[in-house]
Amino acid sequence: MEPKTVRRGAGARVPRPGSVDAIHNALIAGTEVFTLDGTLPVEVLVPGDRVITRDAGAVALREVRHRHAALPLVRLRAGSLGNARPDRDLVMPARQEILVRDWRASALFGRAQALVAARRLCDGEFVSEIGTCDVSVVELVFDAPHIVYADGLEVAAGAPCPATVA
């Protein structure tokens, strides 16, 4: 996984920690995440819970941030990104990064796999923007960036901001 700073252009604005702009990879309450205790709603996870990741196996959560914010959202229909991916209709923040690693990655990005903001996958039929809504979101924070399984999708979860590292 590439560090988040790789994509930041020269002179890019750095969001304030705690601001809506700082909510980059977060899941809406009710999204189910694979853990060592089974599939659990993201909002019940606590620091120390071990989440199953694609890149590193079971990894302990460092922090779980609960927020309520007005965010642009995207709806993904069940199976729209592959066989049972997602495994049910799903709504997520438009900025949530999804790991795409099938023909879409090659066709759209010229790579075998790519981390893509959900809004970039909108086609108006299977993946569509639904506007800005007030939602409860949960950010999963690990010691390093990881790919976690959320409702059958592989999505990015972050590392702490450099300013918040203890």
Side-chain angles (χ1 to χ4, degrees):
M1 299 302 317
E2 65 184 57
K4 298 291 181 218
T5 56
V6 169
R7 294 187 198 139
R8 189 176 298 146
R13 183 172 62 91
V14 177
R16 293 182 328 271
S19 74
V20 172
D21 289 339
I23 299 174
H24 186 66
N25 285 319
L27 300 170
I28 293 178
T31 302
E32 295 190 349
V33 175
F34 291 175
T35 72
L36 283 183
D37 294 323
T39 304
L40 298 173
V42 69
E43 67 271 17
V44 304
L45 299 177
V46 296
D49 281 347
R50 296 181 57 85
V51 175
I52 307 298
T53 68
R54 181 178 197 287
D55 52 317
V59 178
L61 277 167
R62 176 185 176 133
E63 184 179 350
V64 179
R65 298 177 186 147
H66 297 264
R67 298 186 189 183
H68 190 78
L71 298 173
L73 302 177
V74 170
R75 179 182 315 278
L76 297 97
R77 290 180 52 192
S80 60
L81 296 179
N83 187 22
R85 293 182 57 203
D87 53 17
R88 62 184 176 134
D89 286 357
L90 174 65
V91 175
M92 65 176 33
R95 294 179 66 183
Q96 173 63 53
E97 292 176 308
I98 300 171
L99 180 64
V100 178
R101 55 184 185 97
D102 60 5
W103 63 268
R104 290 168 191 83
S106 296
L108 299 172
F109 308 104
R111 294 185 282 180
Q113 60 184 18
L115 267 179
V116 182
R119 75 171 139 233
R120 294 196 56 204
L121 297 172
C122 289
D123 61 10
E125 185 177 351
F126 299 104
V127 182
S128 56
E129 294 185 53
I130 58 174
T132 299
C133 299
D134 287 328
V135 291
S136 293
V137 293
V138 179
E139 293 176 275
L140 302 178
V141 180
F142 299 95
D143 287 331
H146 290 288
I147 300 296
V148 300
Y149 297 95
D151 283 329
L153 283 181
E154 297 167 329
V155 301
C161 296
T164 63
V165 175

